Amino acid sequence: MGTSSQQRTGGIRTGARPTAPLRPSRRLITTVAVVVLLIAGIALANRGGASSGTPEAAVDPMSVEIPHSSEGAQSAAAKMAAVLGSEKMFDPIRRGDIIQRIVVPEQRLAVQKAVDADYTTAFNAKLGLDENGKPPAGATFVSRSMPAGVTVRHYDSREATIDVWCAGLLGLTGKGAPKELPVTTSWFTQTLTVRWTDEGWRLAEFTQQDGPEPGAGEYGQAPQL
């Protein structure tokens, strides 16, 4: 979600940031492309949060069949990263539904406890939301995680660990939005371990850390595109 430097976790595994090289020309292209994504995300939110795709896909990010391959695992991880950073996570009922849909059965309870410990009523209040994740009248709540690149840490036919580098939007917009809670941007990396099950790729563990930001630090910190 990229809201602070605090690491949010649905598992135990953590690790160092990826070290794949990123050439200057690619970095510039990435920055421009994600700025376009951020502008599009704000515009989308101001239209009331409408989304493309089928209604089924909007409810279940894993509803479209994803292949049993490295590319499939990367696609699944990116979809999971996006939904884990969405507005739905601030609503206890919708959050529970997401966990049931994307997490491996044996880890659902542990992941549910971990995310519930993060998404508290007090945390919602800091963002101007009620206990069910609803914004004030006349305002639209924006929470977007937009994958910009992935790095495969490990892959085999049973399990994969993948870094998903994301641009994030978080805040309130619209005529009724408090000026002190504007939509802000952030960069963060989710590390997701996905496991192949009878239902396809499902989430086993995840952690999140801030950064890296485009153009900041030494080359070699950002995930590959």
Side-chain angles (χ1 to χ4, degrees), residues 192-213:
L192 303 97
T193 297
V194 295
R195 190 171 296 155
W196 184 256
T197 72
D198 291 340
E199 299 176 341
W201 292 109
R202 290 296 182 268
L203 181 65
E205 298 176 350
F206 73 95
T207 59
Q208 178 172 307
Q209 293 181 332
D210 289 349
E213 296 186 7

Side-chain angles (χ1 to χ4, degrees), residues 17-23 26-27 30 148-153 162-166 187-191 211-214 220-225:
R17 290 179 179 176
T19 57
L22 189 64
R23 295 189 298 274
R26 180 173 289 183
R27 184 182 298 276
T30 300
V150 297
T151 296
V152 179
R153 289 175 176 258
I162 297 167
D163 288 333
V164 182
W165 184 42
C166 298
W187 291 87
F188 54 95
T189 300
Q190 288 194 9
T191 299
E213 296 186 7
Q221 289 185 335
Q224 293 177 328
L225 298 180

Side-chain angles (χ1 to χ4, degrees), residues 40-54:
I42 293 174
L44 182 65
N46 282 327
R47 292 201 302 270
S51 61
S52 60
T54 65

